[in-house]
Amino acid sequence: MRLILTTILCSSIFLLAGAATTLAEGDYPEDIYYMKPVIGVVFSHQLHVEDNGMDCDSCHDGIFEMEARLAENEESFTMAGLADGEFCGACHDGDTAYDANTRCTTCHVGVIGYSRAHGLVNEEGPAHH
Amino acid sequence: MKNLKNLDKMTNEGVDNCSVEERRHFLKMGLTVTGVFAGGTILSAVSSVNKVYASTSGFVEKYPYKPHYSMIMHIENCIDCEKCKSACAETNGVPSYGFRTNILERQVAGALDQQREFIPVLCNHCNLAQCTRVCPTKATYKDPNNGIVMMNIEKCIGCLSCQLGCPYNARYFNEEKWAVDKCTFCWESRLSKGAKTTGCSEACPAGVRIFGDLSNPSDRVYKEVHQMTKTVWVLRPQAGTKPNVFYTRG
């Protein structure tokens, strides 16, 4: 099943890559919210692809699988792992992009950020009793 | 010197263009000097910030409880993963509709990069707790030994006066207990059984919640509150309740 999914995803990406060097708006998934090892770490394709002009191969060539959130299953998907250059840390090393060890809440939007993005809270924040 | 000569002709610049840092330094300076005039010791190792924001008088170096349980929050590390909340709920049987601790979010306007800040909150176990003052049945009280604000649910009549009295929104009504429930620094579940820290502090993966004894000079909390280099503050100092939960960055 995973193989089929990957194949489909890969072929669609190849088709897209043939049409344009970078993806157009809407051709990539919505923001991804990682839930492990901590809840609410956001990754924005829009920010990385549209705003920063990166292409698929920048990450999907050995760093991240095409399927979203598979990284959560890896033991090195931690802040220590990132510091060793794994996953986000491949670029977020303080050289290519800002160090993963800084600006914590830029990516860590937390339970509050996750809830807001999924319409689980009103604009005033989480419910209080 | 040139400026000095023209002093009379200069106009007041106001404070609109004064950065937060400058204001803070200015305030610190002023408060230190005030401390000296008020009989404070200029050679004291206790920072003026602590004197002013945390414990204005009476409790500066002499703490009323032993141990004097306290917490200092390194809020720049908080990522709102809420492992603290989960650990608290599990440790103390907090229902899903209630909370003993919470995380607040603040948007920092004008910040260059990181524009979001999370602020963990819980009962501040105030030295001058208003909740205990307004409770008509003394169901909530300060433990005379360690200063923890406790609940005697047998006495609680559910009037919620304590909720109104608390400046920190640290209480909720527990329908199962039919009484108000609140943070007790895990006294029943952990500290009284020999544990050295609270459930939330132990669960925090980012080292935000540092729990300890404010009256013990070798304790980390004591050291981090009593120093000159980093600003330490409390929430809502104007409430005048002398809270025991401190906040810092870095």
Side-chain angles (χ1 to χ4, degrees):
Chain A
M1 185 63 197
R2 193 174 135 187
L3 188 68
I4 297 169
L5 264 177
T6 317
T7 316
I8 293 169
L9 275 166
C10 284
S11 45
S12 57
I13 296 299
F14 277 128
L15 282 172
L16 286 165
T21 47
T22 55
L23 293 180
E25 192 177 349
D27 287 339
Y28 38 79
E30 291 177 356
D31 289 355
I32 294 167
Y33 286 83
Y34 289 97
M35 304 302 274
K36 288 180 197 170
V38 293
I39 295 176
V41 186
V42 69
F43 173 82
S44 166
H45 271 100
Q46 183 181 343
L47 188 82
H48 286 82
V49 177
E50 265 188 39
D51 299 357
N52 293 338
M54 293 166 68
D55 54 36
C56 309
D57 282 350
S58 303
C59 303
H60 293 300
D61 190 20
I63 301 174
F64 282 95
E65 300 286 334
M66 281 293 178
E67 188 180 337
R69 291 177 56 195
L70 278 185
E72 284 180 358
N73 304 325
E74 302 297 326
E75 272 184 29
S76 57
F77 194 53
T78 60
M79 292 308 295
L82 303 198
D84 288 339
E86 300 275 349
F87 301 105
C88 317
C91 293
H92 285 281
D93 55 3
D95 189 18
T96 312
Y98 67 83
D99 197 323
N101 204 25
T102 61
R103 308 190 200 179
C104 317
T105 63
T106 302
C107 310
H108 284 275
V109 298
V111 176
I112 296 172
Y114 173 84
S115 304
R116 186 191 294 120
H118 293 78
L120 302 173
V121 287
N122 59 32
E123 281 303 305
E124 287 159 18
H128 286 281
H129 292 272
Chain B
M1 287 302 287
K2 193 182 173 188
N3 284 342
L4 208 58
K5 281 178 188 167
N6 297 329
L7 202 59
D8 290 339
K9 293 169 193 166
M10 289 171 77
T11 52
N12 191 335
E13 291 177 354
V15 292
D16 290 342
N17 298 316
C18 182
S19 76
V20 173
E21 279 75 17
E22 276 170 9
R23 282 194 213 185
R24 191 181 293 153
H25 285 137
F26 177 74
L27 280 170
K28 269 167 126 176
M29 187 175 69
L31 294 168
T32 308
V33 173
T34 311
V36 173
F37 278 122
T41 50
I42 200 163
L43 296 172
S44 169
V46 180
S47 77
S48 60
V49 178
N50 177 40
K51 273 183 184 166
V52 171
Y53 288 106
S55 318
T56 30
S57 63
F59 301 121
V60 175
E61 286 162 308
K62 185 182 160 194
Y63 294 99
Y65 306 103
K66 189 72 187 176
H68 191 111
Y69 288 126
S70 177
M71 195 177 276
I72 184 164
M73 306 280 194
H74 289 252
I75 57 169
E76 87 286 1
N77 288 340
C78 183
I79 51 172
D80 185 40
C81 66
E82 303 198 3
K83 285 185 190 246
C84 51
K85 283 189 76 170
S86 305
C88 173
E90 201 176 309
T91 309
N92 301 299
V94 180
S96 58
Y97 60 82
F99 62 91
R100 281 188 176 203
T101 182
N102 225 335
I103 309 291
L104 306 179
E105 184 192 37
R106 189 169 83 105
Q107 300 293 335
V108 186
L112 287 178
D113 39 46
Q114 184 171 307
Q115 297 181 336
R116 185 183 296 107
E117 184 171 76
F118 294 113
I119 307 169
V121 290
L122 72 170
C123 172
N124 282 249
H125 299 279
C126 310
N127 286 357
L128 299 177
Q130 295 303 291
C131 52
T132 62
R133 190 166 162 249
V134 297
C135 177
T137 64
K138 294 190 168 31
T140 189
Y141 60 97
K142 285 281 283 180
D143 185 290
N145 297 317
N146 56 36
I148 292 176
V149 176
M150 301 286 287
M151 275 299 301
N152 181 346
I153 61 169
E154 303 289 316
K155 286 188 180 174
C156 180
I157 55 171
C159 69
L160 308 186
S161 298
C162 56
Q163 279 190 355
L164 293 173
C166 173
Y168 299 103
N169 188 26
R171 294 163 165 271
Y172 74 98
F173 187 76
N174 187 306
E175 291 170 21
E176 287 74 31
K177 292 181 180 172
W178 208 251
V180 164
D181 189 42
K182 66 176 292 299
C183 163
T184 58
F185 275 157
C186 287
W187 176 255
E188 310 95 328
S189 53
R190 293 175 58 94
L191 297 188
S192 64
K193 295 174 183 170
K196 296 293 176 205
T197 185
T198 63
C200 57
S201 178
E202 190 174 80
C204 179
V208 176
R209 296 168 179 252
I210 310 303
F211 179 77
D213 178 3
L214 193 58
S215 68
N216 178 0
S218 63
D219 194 284
R220 186 175 165 192
V221 171
Y222 179 99
K223 287 176 184 166
E224 292 194 354
V225 171
H226 300 82
Q227 42 78 37
M228 298 289 278
T229 50
K230 284 186 207 162
T231 307
V232 176
W233 67 94
V234 296
L235 300 182
R236 294 192 169 165
Q238 71 275 19
T241 60
K242 295 187 168 58
N244 286 304
V245 175
F246 300 89
Y247 291 80
T248 189
R249 288 193 192 91

